[in-house]
């Protein structure tokens, strides 16, 4: 039996007092790149002298040509064929002192770090792309689409009632029943269902039938089978919205690729699947992005929340924009001053705007992904790729004889098997201790690591995660500066942000440096934005004062 198809994976109930934890499975597992193609990476052997010369010549890539030159100086490990035996024969480097190896690791990693000037340049470029997304004439060609969400009202705390929510967008799919009550109280029950790989890349009909089946099972289990409840659908992919309950899928991301859905109205596909079953009845009141849910969820308690950010399997942000700026928002008779914009910033750089900071490792990730050339910014940041980025660096250093005396392992050489949660675990070790690091290396089949190796592995993780935090910070600072309000709270969710021990601090530090003087901000961890946020968007849409103002 296909247990994943029929079986509920995990059931969680929480209320506003947080009686049960947010339903993340084993740290990052919701984000693990099950869908990164698992082909064995072939290692690249560097000759000792080539490697030494290459490490010496790797300097910070400040423009596309120097980046390319750096990439040429060190042939990409995963692109040239080699075997473990070849790699271990590199006794020249394997015999180098710990201090020399540390220096080589440090030098190779410099390409992963962003200078202040580069981060500032990124802010300019992101702003430019956001403006292109917002403006009617440049929107069709813009990478950062800045889709209008049709959400114009933030919650005011008066939202009440029972709502269903669907949350599709990571490795798992969730169905939730949320009861919004007086005094910012709520109760929530949810169940996680797996989306098997064959459904993630199967047909759209299969996907929506699976969703409808899970919804029906959930309603039966939660005694609401016979009720007709309002439903908010968190659909965390780029959606060209045509209204609060209509949206055409622009493109799939994060390992999903179901045929027949691009350019289709996703709400209609859901309704059709429910109608095919004919057993349950629902009212789809809103379709929204997880960033919108995150923002709404935080805004319910904190009225300064004007930005929603996700750093999880994927990455994206939404923000409150003035309607005059949102040229594609032309609802007749609209008198409200603001609208939420879903930036879809994951696609920033798809036109080459990030080439001046991309590395050989980023190119490798991209060319082995199921969507090459797309989601360039996301691939440098999010949980679906972070572990794999680290793995690529480790493979290169190992095959060069700099790490583990040149001895690799099958797991290390296999795509997708260095999980992003390892990065958080390794960086959570107390300075100078390597307990988690050694456990991770053991899982990778690397049992002979020295303390020097462990310190180097940790440094590599730090460079990859710090770069991700700085890229996200450039995006957030750009939005804060554009909004130009004296105080902004950023609602944040996603497992990288949640579980990485330093991500929050790295972001606070960088954003502080980048925003205009006089503006202050804070980062607020969102409590289940995709679930409660969906209920809130649905609830706000049917709030009495809003219905009356229409
Ligand atoms: C999607 C966004 C989503 C983000 C975070 C990206 O891949 O395109 O819509 O908000 O992931 O889940």
């Amino acid at each position: 039996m296909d247990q994943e198809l029929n079986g509920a994976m995990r059931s969680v109930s929480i209320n506003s007092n947080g009686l049960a934890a947010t339903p993340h499975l084993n740290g990052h597992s919701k984000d693990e790149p099950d869908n990164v193609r698992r082909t064995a990476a072939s290692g690249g052997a560097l000759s000792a002298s080539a490697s030494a010369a290459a490490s010496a010549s790797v300097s910070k890539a400040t423009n596309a040509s120097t980046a390319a030159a750096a990439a040429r100086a060190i042939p990409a490990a995963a692109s040239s064929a080699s075997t473990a035996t070849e790699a271990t024969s590199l006794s020249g480097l394997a015999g180098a002192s710990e201090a020399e190896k540390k220096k080589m690791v440090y030098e190779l990693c410099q390409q992963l770090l962003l200078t202040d000037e580069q981060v500032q340049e990124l802010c300019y470029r992101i702003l430019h792309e956001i403006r292109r997304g917002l403006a009617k004439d440049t929107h069709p060609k813009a990478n950062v689409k800045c889709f209008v969400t049709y959400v114009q009202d933030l919650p005011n705390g008066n939202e009440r009632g029972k709502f269903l929510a669907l949350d599709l967008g990571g490795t798992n799919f969730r169905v939730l029943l949320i009861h919004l009550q007086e005094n910012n109280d709520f109760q929530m029950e949810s169940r996680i269902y797996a989306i098997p790989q064959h459904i993630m890349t199967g047909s759209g009909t299969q996907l929506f039938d699976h969703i409808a089946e899970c919804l029906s099972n959930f309603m039966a289990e939660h005694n609401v089978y016979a009720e007709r409840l309002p439903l908010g659908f968190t659909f965390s992919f780029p959606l060209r919205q045509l209204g609060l309950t209509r949206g055409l899928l622009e493109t799939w991301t994060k390992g999903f690729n179901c045929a027949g859905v691009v350019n289709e109205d996703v709400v209609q596909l859901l309704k059709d699947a429910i109608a095919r079953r004919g057993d349950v009845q629902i009212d789809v009141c809103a379709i929204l992005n997880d960033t919108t849910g995150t923002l709404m969820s935080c805004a319910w308690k904190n009225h300064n929340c004007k930005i929603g950010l996700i750093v999880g399997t994927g990455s994206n942000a939404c923000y409150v924009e003035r309607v005059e700026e949102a040229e594609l928002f032309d609802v007749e008779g609209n008198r409200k001053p603001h609208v939420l914009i879903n930036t879809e910033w994951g696609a920033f750089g798809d036109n080459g705007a990030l080439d001046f900071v991309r590395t050989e490792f980023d190119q490798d990730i991209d060319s082995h992904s199921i969507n090459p050339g797309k989601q360039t910014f996301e691939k440098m940041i999010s949980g679906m790729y972070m572990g794999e980025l680290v793995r690529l660096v480790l493979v290169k250093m190992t095959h060069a004889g700099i790490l583990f005396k040149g001895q690799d392992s099958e797991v290390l050489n296999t795509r997708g098997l260095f999980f992003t949660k390892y990065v958080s675990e390794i960086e959570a070790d107390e300075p100078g201790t390597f307990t988690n690091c050694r456990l991770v290396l053991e899982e990778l089949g690397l049992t002979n690591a020295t303390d020097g190796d462990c310190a180097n592995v940790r440094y590599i993780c730090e460079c990859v995660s710090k770069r991700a935090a700085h890229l996200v910070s450039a995006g957030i600072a750009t939005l804060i500066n554009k909004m130009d309000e004296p105080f902004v709270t950023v609602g944040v969710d996603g497992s990288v942000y949640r579980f990485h021990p330093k991500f929050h601090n790295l972001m606070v530090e960088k954003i502080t440096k980048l925003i205009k003087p006089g503006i202050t901000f804070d980062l607020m961890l969102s409590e289940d934005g995709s679930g409660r946020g969906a209920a809130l968007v649905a609830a706000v849409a049917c709030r009495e004062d809003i219905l009356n103002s229409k």
Side-chain angles (χ1 to χ4, degrees), residues 236-238 253-254 289-291 310 314-316 344 375 378:
S236 307
F237 300 96
T253 59
K254 296 179 286 200
N289 189 257
D290 50 356
T291 55
I310 300 284
S315 180
N316 187 19
E344 285 296 338
Q375 299 295 105
E378 175 166 275

Side-chain angles (χ1 to χ4, degrees), residues 199-217:
I199 290 192
M200 285 172 79
T201 51
S203 75
T205 311
Q206 266 179 306
L207 173 71
F208 284 95
D209 281 346
H210 177 54
I211 292 176
E213 180 182 354
C214 297
L215 174 65
S216 160
N217 290 346

Side-chain angles (χ1 to χ4, degrees), residues 47-274:
S47 75
S49 58
S51 166
S55 340
S57 72
V58 174
S59 55
K60 173 94 56 189
T62 49
N63 58 37
S65 60
T66 51
R72 275 195 301 278
I74 300 187
S79 63
S80 57
S82 117
T83 61
T85 334
E86 280 170 330
T88 49
S89 72
L90 293 163
S91 48
L93 275 181
S97 72
E98 296 273 295
E100 282 165 334
K101 288 181 191 168
K102 182 175 172 186
K103 186 159 179 274
M104 285 184 247
V105 170
Y106 175 84
E107 282 170 357
L108 181 73
C109 283
Q110 293 316 292
Q111 61 181 310
L112 288 163
L113 297 177
L114 302 170
T115 62
D116 288 348
E117 294 71 33
Q118 285 174 321
V119 176
Q120 191 56 63
E121 176 62 24
L122 283 167
C123 292
Y124 295 134
R125 292 185 184 208
I126 294 170
L127 180 61
H128 178 70
E129 287 297 320
I130 287 174
R131 290 198 195 291
R132 277 168 53 79
L134 290 171
K136 228 176 209 161
D137 54 342
T138 45
H139 175 87
K141 291 211 169 125
N143 288 128
V144 179
K145 284 294 183 195
C146 289
F147 291 123
V148 174
T149 64
Y150 291 81
V151 175
Q152 291 202 271
D153 299 281
L154 298 183
N156 63 9
N158 290 331
E159 294 74 20
R160 307 271 180 273
K162 226 183 332 172
F163 298 87
L164 283 166
L166 301 179
D167 173 17
L168 180 74
T171 313
N172 294 308
F173 160 66
R174 283 189 313 154
V175 186
L176 305 99
L177 180 64
I178 299 127
H179 198 169
L180 301 175
Q181 294 156 329
E182 309 269 310
N183 306 323
N184 279 6
D185 257 2
F186 72 100
Q187 286 200 322
M188 185 163 98
E189 291 175 84
S190 70
R191 201 168 261 270
I192 295 177
Y193 300 85
I195 301 277
Q197 182 69 36
H198 73 272
I199 290 192
M200 285 172 79
T201 51
S203 75
T205 311
Q206 266 179 306
L207 173 71
F208 284 95
D209 281 346
H210 177 54
I211 292 176
E213 180 182 354
C214 297
L215 174 65
S216 160
N217 290 346
F218 180 89
M219 289 176 76
E221 282 164 22
H222 291 81
N223 304 322
V224 290
Y225 194 71
E227 289 183 46
R228 186 184 181 109
L229 291 175
L231 179 142
F233 184 10
T234 304
F235 182 78
S236 307
F237 300 96
L239 201 67
R240 180 177 299 281
Q241 283 194 238
L242 305 173
L244 202 52
T245 54
R246 274 188 75 200
L248 312 180
L249 175 65
E250 181 85 353
T251 177
W252 286 112
T253 59
K254 296 179 286 200
F256 276 77
N257 198 2
C258 303
V261 188
V262 170
N263 281 328
E264 295 295 323
D265 177 3
V266 174
V267 174
Q268 195 56 50
L269 295 179
L270 173 67
K271 286 182 180 165
D272 292 348
I274 292 172

